[in-house]
Structures are given as structure tokens and as C-alpha cells.
């Protein structure tokens, strides 16, 4: 691999590129015929970087022309009515947004030169097919491609080709950018045995680039093992166990972008959803998909999905654990069906001068049949009057009449039939059912018999029953129970694909809530068992996938880190035997060990030392995160303010003027900062209900750093870190 870094007016003299002639020729991806690049004839320089800059400029011009073409569309006489016109205009507006040229976002980041094994007529050399790989497709006025979308099949070798398997690629070129300007390139000759294999410096620089602002895409740095997950088919669910810094979140988001490219029509009908652990995390990742041209993907937390009632209360850890247990699904099923009664009276339907009688035993058979089928409560309740009406129609036909479907519908709406259905299969309100379950000990005992112990039942019963649904102080776990009850009554709509991140913290009942949203679709499950910090944290992915409704799904493990420096991940991994003994310890490709220090200071000087460490971190380029136990946040906020160091809350976007974020340890998961100052690890551990959960919280806090970590403590460190 040869690195050629150019600055305007300067040109070193390392090895020349594979073809030394004028600018590259752009192929048609279908027929692969050579196409002239706009501006190439007027470009006479031999400087390869100038030629690449010319192609970039021409591509940007072509992109602007594509957008102008869409903006110029006239749909006045195209649609039949105003509704169709509104829909079409909305699609056009979305297309215009997707074609925006972001000045500081490189239009392409790589190039592939393929060999087709034929001889070029001009010089006798093998002919090359050249593809520029970028974030979106760009074509010229004739429709010939100038930039190929990174998701297209022809782009795949950019991520997977190697010397052992070049995949017909002669040369892979990576481009380096500074503030949107193309400033460098790097070549890798995959079929030339004379070239020594070295690591990519541009790739390393892109990985280590300072993190300021929200999370960005990794489309230029996707690794082969990540690309396999990104391009996995839509037909199955994929679970990714990823150590800190392995890019699992980015992999999940890029998988959504790929699936929307490969199955756009299907997912346009069924929809896609990204589920994150909290609003701060969603705000942090919200710009990734729009940067890849995907504007229609919705984002939510699990709490957003189950927001049937306002959440104003909290549960103890023990109560939340019981409410989140999978056994509650059967408790709720019993509660929803508790009102079903076997009929004791016949149904008599009067039509004209005739009376038609359905005896009680026949009604009981219909009710038991619907119960045995175990269909949704609401669907069964809608089916019962039709079954009764059918029984009446059988009698009519036996008496010589010829009733049709209209007669059956009329019988099903008969007052006597409605009264019988209401008596034996009454309507159910999901929230009222859960309210009763948590308020009435006798009702809970009947529904939980053989499932929950007496102690567990006492744990989830409300000490002071609410008067009604509106006045109840519902907890987040209660909202999940109501969502389960809703689904027992009426089926929840399914999406085409769902991504759930930080999934290790979901309870079994929360997994069921997510699974209902993709019951007929697929899912991408992302998480790290070592970072589970809830009392009900996932023990194994096999168990989690079963609760999700996707048992036997593929589980992939990412252990090669790209973000966390080697020394930092090695230090944090000392905790693995205590928090997740079965996991493989993560490695790091980072050559730079990063700035790493562990400092003990007197207790009365800890806060001042933390403020000093933050000031030193801010002297470097990039973002800084001060992570501390939740209880210490007010003290540190006051100290930073007194020192004249403004800070942000998690989820707020950093700016050149304010690059310091004060992060409670409970909200650190999924976030990353160039430099992290970790305040008093012992307080982070002590802030959790048990030591194992506390050590997992500490593991999360230690692994948020991209370039440097400073640990300051006055109390003794956990034994594994001493």
C-alpha cells in the first residue's frame, strides 16, 4: 500500500498510480462500457490528485443537476385528483431532500479498479473498469454513473476484497478529506505481489478523527466482518454481540440503510424502526441515516412504543423484576380471559313471525371452540356473533328457507345475539384489566396461581389502589404490561424491520413488546452482555431471542474494536471475569495507545482535580465527557460553573465553544467522547443495587473514550482494577 498525500502545489514522488494517462473513465454498471468523465478533456495535468478533484467537482455538478431536474418537475396535469397530487408532491419533496449536497460530507470516499482480463487496444494493457464508491448514486446528463452507491453489489468488494481474495479488483483507492476538500489518497494493489501489505493510514485517521457533534456514519471504514452483517438478507433476524468500540450501533444503522436500498418497495409498505435505550441516545444517532440519504426511518424508545398511559410512578428493583418476567404474559392472558362465562340460557332470535332458538349447550360449544383456538380476545369476540348467526342460518335452511350473507349479518346484529355475546364474552379494557390486577389481591392470586409466589404477588401489588386509570401512578413496567394486554385483545401491527440497540437491558416483557412490532418482519438485535445494567439484564442471547419471538436466529460476535484505544479496553476488560465470564475479551486495531492515566487524590481535593483534568482535556481537539455517579452530578456541575467551564447534558450537541458534557453514569451507555474524565469509580459501583450491576456500569463508563481516559479517585478502586 502506498500513501500519496497532496497539498495544492505540492507533489511528492512516490510510486505513480496504476494508469498514468488522463482522467479515469466511468463505466456503466450494466454493460461496463467506458464513459467519459465530464471535464476530463479540459484537464491536462498529470497530477492524479487533481484528476480526482476534477471528478469530485464534476460529480457535485451532476448531483446539483439531478436535484434541479426533480425541482423542475411539473405535476399539474399528471394526477387525477388533489389527494394524489399531495402524495406525489410529498414524494418529490423527500427526493429533493435526499439529493442535498452536504458541503462537508465527501461525495465519494473510495475507488475500485476492476480488471476484466481483456487487452486495451491503445497500449496493450489490461482494461480497467473504474467505480467511485460514495454515499449515494450520482449520474451525468446521459444517465451514466459517476458515483456508485456503497450499497450496490458492485461496491461490495471495496469492503471485502483482500490479497487472498481480490475479487477481480486490481486497485482499491481510499480518499482523505479535510473540511470537505479532497486532500489525499491511498492505493492498495490487490493483485500486485510486489506491493508490501501495510495498514491503511487514511482508514486509521478516519477512525481516530475527533468526535464533535452527533454520531456520524462509518460508511468509509466498514470492515469485512461488519459488512457481512450489514448485507445480511432481510428474511432473518440477526443478533450482534459487540464489545465496546466494535461499531455494533453503526452496523445496525447501516444495515437499515442497506435493507432500504435492497428492499425499498417492501419496506416502504411495512416500515422500519430503530429502538434505542433513551432519548439522549436517539438524539446522538439521529443524523446517521439522513447522511446516508434515508429520511423515513422512525426512532423510538421502548417507553415510546408502550405509551398507552402517562408514566408518573416508579417501581422498586424487585417489583420491576417481577413485572418484567415472562411469566407475567400468562398472568395477563388469564386476567384478560377471566370474564368469559359459559352460557346458561339459550338465544332466541325473532325474524318476522318465526323464532329461532340456539340452545345453551350449542352456545357453550361455540365459546369453548373459540377459547381452544386461543386467538386474540377481541377477534374471538367479533367472531362469536357470526358463529351464533351461522347456527341460526343452518336452522333456516333446514326449514326450507334460503338465507344469504345479508341475513347472517342481520342476525349477528340482532339485539338478543348482542346481549348473549356481552354476557358470555364481555368487552375488555387493557388498562383497566392491569389496574385491577395490581389493585385486587384476590384477582391477582387467581390469575397468578402456580406462576408467581405469594411474596412476588405482594411485591407488585400497589400499596394504595388507584381510583381509576387516569389517576393511577403507572410505572414504566406497568405500561409494558398494558401493551401486552392490548396485544391479547387486538393484534399489534408489525413492521418490516426493527433495530433494537442496547438490547441487553431489556426485560423479557420488553422483548415481547418489541417482538410484536416485527412479528411478520425481521429484526437486528444489538448489545453487549457485559454492559447489562438492569436487574433483569439479559443472561444469554438465545433466551432473549426466544422472548423476542425469533428463536434460533443467527448470533454474530464482534470482538475487534476500532474506537476504544488498546490500553483503555485492556484496562476495562479486567472486569469481564466478574461481570460476563463467558465473553471473549475485545481487542483493538488502534496503534495509538491513547492518553491513559489513573490517579488517586485526597478526598477533599477530588472535585478540584476533576475540574483540572477537564480543563486539560479541553486543551486538546475534540469532545470531552465527564462521567460520574448520578449522585455526584450536582456537585460537579456547581464546580464546573464556578471554574468557568460551561457544560452540556447528554444528548445536547457539542459546539466549537462548548465541548464538555457532564454525563451521569446511568446515561453514558452508547455515547462516546474523544476524551473522558471518570470521577470516582467506587461511587459509580456503589450507586447500583448490587456489586455486579455496579461493575457493569463502571465497565460502560470506562469504555466511552476514543482518544484518552483519565480516571480520578479517592476511594479504593474495585479489586480487579487495582
Amino acid at each position: 500500500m502506498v500513501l500519496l498525500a497532496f497539498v495544492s502545489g505540492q507533489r511528492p514522488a512516490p510510486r505513480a498510480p496504476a494508469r498514468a494517462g488522463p482522467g479515469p473513465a466511468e463505466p456503466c454498471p450494466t454493460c461496463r462500457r467506458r464513459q467519459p468523465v465530464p471535464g476530463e478533456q479540459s484537464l491536462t495535468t498529470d497530477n492524479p490528485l487533481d484528476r480526482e478533484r476534477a471528478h469530485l467537482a464534476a460529480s457535485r455538478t451532476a448531483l446539483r443537476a439531478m436535484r434541479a431536474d426533480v425541482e423542475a418537475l411539473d405535476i399539474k396535469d399528471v394526477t387525477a385528483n388533489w389527494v394524489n397530487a399531495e402524495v406525489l408532491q410529498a414524494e418529490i419533496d423527500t427526493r429533493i431532500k435526499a439529493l442535498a449536497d452536504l458541503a462537508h460530507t465527501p461525495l465519494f470516499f473510495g475507488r475500485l479498479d476492476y480488471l476484466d482480463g481483456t487487452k486495451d487496444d491503445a497500449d496493450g494493457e489490461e482494461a480497467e473498469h473504474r467505480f467511485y464508491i460514495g454515499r449515494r448514486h450520482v449520474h451525468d446528463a446521459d444517465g451514466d454513473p459517476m458515483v456508485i452507491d456503497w450499497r450496490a453489489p458492485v461496491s461490495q468488494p471495496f469492503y471485502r476484497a483482500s490479497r487472498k481474495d481480490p475479487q477481480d479488483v486490481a486497485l482499491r483507492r481510499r480518499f482523505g478529506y479535510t473540511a470537505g476538500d479532497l486532500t489525499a489518497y491511498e492505493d492498495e494493489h490487490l493483485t500486485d505481489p510486489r506491493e508490501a501489505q501495510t495498514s491503511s493510514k487514511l482508514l486509521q485517521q478516519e477512525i481516530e478523527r475527533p468526535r464533535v457533534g452527533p454520531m456520524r456514519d462509518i460508511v468509509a471504514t466498514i470492515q469485512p466482518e461488519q459488512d457481512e452483517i450489514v448485507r445480511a438478507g432481510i428474511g432473518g433476524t440477526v443478533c450482534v454481540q459487540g464489545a465496546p468500540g466494535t461499531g455494533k450501533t453503526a452496523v445496525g444503522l447501516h444495515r437499515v440503510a442497506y435493507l432500504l436500498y435492497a428492499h425499498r418497495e417492501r419496506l416502504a409498505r411495512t416500515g422500519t424502526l430503530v429502538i434505542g435505550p433513551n432519548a439522549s441516545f436517539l438524539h446522538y444517532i439521529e443524523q446517521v441515516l439522513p447522511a446516508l440519504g434515508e429520511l423515513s426511518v422512525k426512532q423510538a424508545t421502548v417507553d415510546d412504543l408502550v405509551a398507552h398511559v402517562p408514566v408518573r410512578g416508579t417501581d422498586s428493583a424487585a417489583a420491576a423484576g417481577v413485572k418484567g418476567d415472562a411469566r407475567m404474559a400468562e398472568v395477563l392472558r388469564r386476567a384478560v380471559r377471566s370474564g368469559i362465562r359459559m352460557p346458561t340460557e339459550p338465544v332466541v332470535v325473532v325474524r318476522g313471525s318465526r323464532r329461532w332458538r340456539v340452545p345453551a349447550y350449542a352456545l357453550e360449544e361455540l365459546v369453548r371452540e373459540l377459547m381452544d383456538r386461543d386467538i386474540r380476545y377481541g377477534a374471538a369476540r367479533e367472531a362469536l356473533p357470526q358463529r351464533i348467526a351461522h347456527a341460526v342460518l343452518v336452522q333456516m335452511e333446514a326449514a326450507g328457507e334460503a338465507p344469504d350473507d345479508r341475513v347472517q349479518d342481520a342476525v349477528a346484529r340482532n339485539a338478543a345475539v348482542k346481549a348473549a355475546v356481552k354476557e358470555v364474552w364481555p368487552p375488555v379494557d387493557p388498562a383497566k384489566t392491569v389496574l385491577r390486577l395490581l389493585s385486587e389481591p384476590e384477582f391477582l392470586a387467581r390469575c397468578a396461581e402456580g406462576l408467581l409466589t405469594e411474596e412476588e404477588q405482594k411485591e407488585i401489588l400497589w400499596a394504595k389502589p388507584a381510583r381509576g386509570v387516569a389517576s393511577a401512578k403507572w410505572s414504566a413496567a406497568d405500561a409494558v404490561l398494558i401493551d401486552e394486554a392490548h396485544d391479547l385483545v387486538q393484534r399489534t401491527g408489525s413492521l418490516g424491520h426493527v433495530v433494537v440497540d442496547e438490547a441487553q437491558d431489556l426485560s423479557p416483557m420488553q422483548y415481547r413488546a418489541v417482538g410484536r412490532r416485527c412479528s411478520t418482519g425481521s429484526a437486528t438485535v444489538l448489545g453487549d452482555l457485559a454492559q447489562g445494567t438492569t436487574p433483569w439484564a439479559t443472561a444469554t442471547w438465545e433466551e432473549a431471542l426466544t422472548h423476542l419471538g425469533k428463536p434460533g436466529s443467527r448470533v454474530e460476535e464482534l470482538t475487534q474494536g476500532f474506537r476504544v484505544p488498546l490500553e483503555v479496553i485492556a484496562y476495562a476488560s479486567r472486569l469481564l471475569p466478574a461481570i460476563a465470564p463467558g465473553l471473549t475479551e475485545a481487542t483493538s486495531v488502534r496503534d495509538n495507545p491513547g492518553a491513559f492515566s489513573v490517579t488517586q487524590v485526597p478526598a477533599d481535593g477530588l472535585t478540584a482535580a476533576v475540574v483540572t483534568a477537564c480543563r486539560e482535556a479541553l486543551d486538546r481537539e475534540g469532545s470531552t465527557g465527564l462521567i460520574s455517579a448520578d449522585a455526584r452530578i450536582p456537585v460537579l456541575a456547581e464546580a464546573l460553573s464556578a471554574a468557568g467551564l460551561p457544560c452540556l447534558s447528554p444528548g445536547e450537541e457539542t459546539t466549537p465553544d462548548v465541548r464538555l458534557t457532564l454525563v451521569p453514569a446511568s446515561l453514558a451507555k452508547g455515547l462516546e467522547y474523544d476524551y473522558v474524565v471518570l470521577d470516582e469509580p467506587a461511587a459509580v459501583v456503589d450507586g447500583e443495587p448490587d456489586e455486579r450491576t455496579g461493575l457493569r456500569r463502571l465497565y460502560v463508563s470506562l469504555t466511552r473514550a476514543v482518544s484518552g481516559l483519565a480516571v480520578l479517585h479517592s476511594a479504593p478502586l474495585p479489586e480487579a482494577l487495582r
Side-chain angles (χ1 to χ4, degrees):
M1 185 175 294
V2 180
L3 175 66
L4 302 179
F6 289 90
V7 190
S8 180
Q10 300 178 344
R11 182 167 147 217
R15 175 187 170 130
R19 292 182 65 89
E26 186 66 43
C28 168
T30 304
C31 61
R32 288 194 174 187
R33 58 190 175 84
R34 293 176 63 87
Q35 303 290 339
V37 175
E40 124 180 279
Q41 293 180 353
S42 61
L43 186 64
T44 58
T45 178
D46 290 332
N47 187 333
L49 190 60
D50 286 343
R51 293 201 296 272
E52 301 294 15
R53 285 170 173 163
H55 185 77
L56 175 62
S59 299
R60 288 197 180 280
T61 300
L63 179 61
R64 288 193 294 271
M66 290 170 61
R67 178 167 174 155
D69 288 344
V70 178
E71 292 173 334
L73 289 175
D74 185 357
I75 61 171
K76 292 179 182 177
D77 301 323
V78 174
T79 57
N81 53 58
W82 70 269
V83 176
N84 292 344
E86 289 286 339
V87 173
L88 182 56
Q89 187 60 53
E91 293 181 356
I92 291 175
D93 292 342
T94 300
R95 177 62 175 164
I96 292 172
K97 291 180 182 178
L99 289 173
D101 184 9
L102 306 177
H104 295 291
T105 300
L107 199 54
F108 57 79
F109 49 82
R111 196 185 89 186
L112 291 176
D113 291 358
Y114 282 89
L115 290 179
D116 64 4
T118 62
K119 298 297 182 180
D120 187 281
D121 293 337
D123 53 17
E125 295 182 358
E126 289 183 319
E128 294 177 356
H129 295 309
R130 186 163 294 169
F131 297 85
Y132 286 83
I133 313 301
R135 286 170 171 78
R136 69 191 68 202
H137 176 85
V138 179
H139 60 75
D140 62 18
D142 296 325
D144 295 319
M146 302 183 67
V147 180
I148 303 293
D149 194 300
W150 67 276
R151 298 167 288 187
V154 74
S155 303
Q156 181 173 309
F158 182 79
Y159 302 106
R160 298 197 192 180
S162 64
R163 288 181 179 277
K164 291 182 179 180
D165 181 20
Q167 301 186 22
D168 298 325
V169 175
L171 178 142
R172 174 168 51 205
R173 174 170 288 182
R174 300 182 189 275
F175 297 103
Y177 289 83
T178 302
D181 295 328
L182 200 164
T183 55
Y185 71 88
E186 184 180 64
D187 286 346
E188 186 178 4
H189 298 268
L190 299 179
T191 57
D192 189 345
R194 297 170 297 177
E195 287 287 336
Q197 186 170 3
T198 60
S199 60
S200 170
K201 294 182 179 179
L202 285 183
L203 184 63
Q204 189 79 10
Q205 290 171 5
E206 175 63 21
I207 291 172
E208 297 179 2
R209 188 154 55 94
R211 265 69 173 160
V212 177
M215 181 180 180
R216 59 177 181 264
D217 66 74
I218 61 165
V219 67
T221 62
I222 295 175
Q223 298 301 293
E225 63 272 20
Q226 296 173 325
D227 190 64
E228 289 183 13
I229 298 171
V230 168
R231 296 178 192 265
I234 195 174
T237 290
V238 179
C239 176
V240 181
Q241 157 62 40
T246 54
K248 57 183 178 293
T249 297
V251 165
L253 295 174
H254 287 69
R255 175 160 163 71
V256 171
Y258 171 77
L259 292 177
L260 285 168
Y261 175 87
H263 308 279
R264 189 167 300 280
E265 184 176 345
R266 173 177 171 178
L267 291 179
R269 295 194 309 270
T270 56
T272 53
L273 175 68
V274 175
I275 301 174
N278 52 58
S280 297
F281 177 84
L282 292 177
H283 181 72
Y284 176 62
I285 68 171
E286 67 183 357
Q287 295 302 320
V288 174
L289 288 169
L292 298 174
E294 301 301 342
L295 307 173
S296 61
V297 180
K298 296 181 179 179
Q299 296 182 346
T301 64
V302 174
D303 291 343
D304 295 332
L305 297 183
V306 300
H308 303 289
V309 292
V311 174
R312 296 193 294 263
T314 57
D315 285 314
S316 66
V322 176
K323 291 178 180 179
D325 194 284
R327 293 172 294 168
M328 288 300 298
E330 177 59 22
V331 174
L332 287 165
R333 194 189 75 85
R334 294 178 184 179
V336 166
R337 291 174 170 263
S338 63
I340 299 176
R341 299 286 182 269
M342 290 303 144
T344 57
E345 299 291 335
V347 172
V348 179
V349 177
V350 179
R351 285 187 60 81
S353 61
R354 302 292 299 270
R355 287 171 170 261
W356 308 98
R357 182 175 182 273
V358 182
Y361 73 86
L363 293 175
E364 181 175 341
E365 289 178 358
L366 295 177
V367 172
R368 291 194 181 280
E369 179 191 354
L370 289 172
M371 291 181 66
D372 292 341
R373 290 183 60 189
D374 200 27
I375 60 178
R376 295 295 195 285
Y377 186 93
R381 191 172 188 277
E382 292 173 0
L384 183 55
Q386 290 291 335
R387 299 296 179 88
I388 297 173
H390 178 73
V392 172
L393 260 66
V394 170
Q395 295 182 34
M396 289 180 175
E397 290 172 348
E401 296 189 17
D404 55 19
D405 290 343
R406 290 174 297 177
V407 175
Q408 178 167 333
D409 289 339
V411 172
R413 295 192 300 269
N414 183 274
V417 174
K418 286 183 175 181
V421 170
K422 185 176 181 179
E423 178 67 24
V424 301
W425 207 291
V428 167
D429 182 290
K432 289 182 179 179
T433 301
V434 175
L435 178 66
R436 184 185 176 196
L437 199 64
L438 300 177
S439 302
E440 299 181 16
E442 298 81 7
F443 183 57
L444 176 59
R446 288 201 308 271
C447 296
E449 183 179 359
L451 295 171
L452 303 180
T453 66
E454 290 185 9
E455 291 74 16
E456 288 174 324
Q457 293 176 36
K458 291 179 181 177
E459 195 68 54
I460 65 175
L461 276 169
W462 288 345
K464 185 183 293 186
R467 295 180 180 178
V469 172
S471 62
K473 289 187 176 181
W474 299 104
S475 69
D478 296 335
V480 178
L481 298 182
I482 295 174
D483 189 71
E484 179 83 22
H486 264 281
D487 188 68
L488 288 167
V489 175
Q490 201 72 37
R491 181 184 296 276
T492 304
S494 177
L495 298 167
H497 192 79
V498 171
V499 175
V500 53
D501 203 354
E502 302 297 346
Q504 75 280 345
D505 280 334
L506 298 187
S507 69
M509 293 300 288
Q510 287 175 319
Y511 275 117
R512 290 176 62 87
V514 173
R516 288 191 283 276
R517 271 73 184 180
C518 56
S519 58
T520 59
S522 57
T524 302
V525 181
L526 311 167
D528 180 10
L529 297 180
Q531 297 185 55
T533 52
T534 54
W536 50 82
T538 302
T540 67
W541 289 121
E542 289 73 17
E543 178 184 340
L545 289 167
T546 299
H547 294 314
L548 191 71
K550 309 289 184 182
S553 296
R554 167 183 169 191
V555 179
E556 297 285 348
E557 186 172 8
L558 295 176
T559 59
Q560 188 175 55
F562 304 95
R563 178 177 55 78
V564 184
L566 180 60
E567 279 192 25
V568 173
I569 194 63
Y571 183 72
S573 294
R574 296 184 193 178
L575 298 172
L576 284 179
I579 62 176
L583 290 185
T584 304
E585 183 175 333
T587 60
S588 178
V589 300
R590 300 281 297 275
D591 293 332
N592 178 11
F596 175 59
S597 64
V598 180
T599 307
Q600 185 170 10
V601 297
D604 58 357
L606 178 61
T607 300
V610 168
V611 172
T612 299
C614 290
R615 196 183 298 278
E616 292 174 352
L618 290 170
D619 288 338
R620 306 183 180 99
E621 184 182 4
S623 59
T624 297
L626 170 55
I627 302 178
S628 176
D630 292 32
R632 288 260 302 159
I633 292 296
V635 175
L636 293 174
E638 184 178 350
L640 291 172
S641 177
L645 294 179
C647 63
L648 305 168
S649 299
E652 294 182 334
E653 188 171 334
T654 56
T655 66
D657 296 327
V658 184
R659 295 181 288 113
L660 174 63
T661 304
L662 181 56
V663 187
S666 61
L667 296 180
K669 195 171 298 179
L671 305 179
E672 62 179 20
Y673 302 93
D674 288 290
Y675 296 93
V676 167
V677 177
L678 178 58
D679 167 70
E680 196 61 284
V684 174
V685 177
D686 293 341
E688 300 299 326
D690 59 82
E691 183 182 20
R692 188 179 190 187
T693 303
L695 291 175
R696 286 182 169 182
R697 185 75 72 187
L698 178 57
Y699 180 77
V700 171
S701 301
L702 287 168
T703 53
R704 300 304 94 201
V706 175
S707 299
L709 171 67
V711 179
L712 292 98
H713 68 102
S714 59
L717 293 171
E719 187 172 349
L721 300 182
R722 294 176 191 170

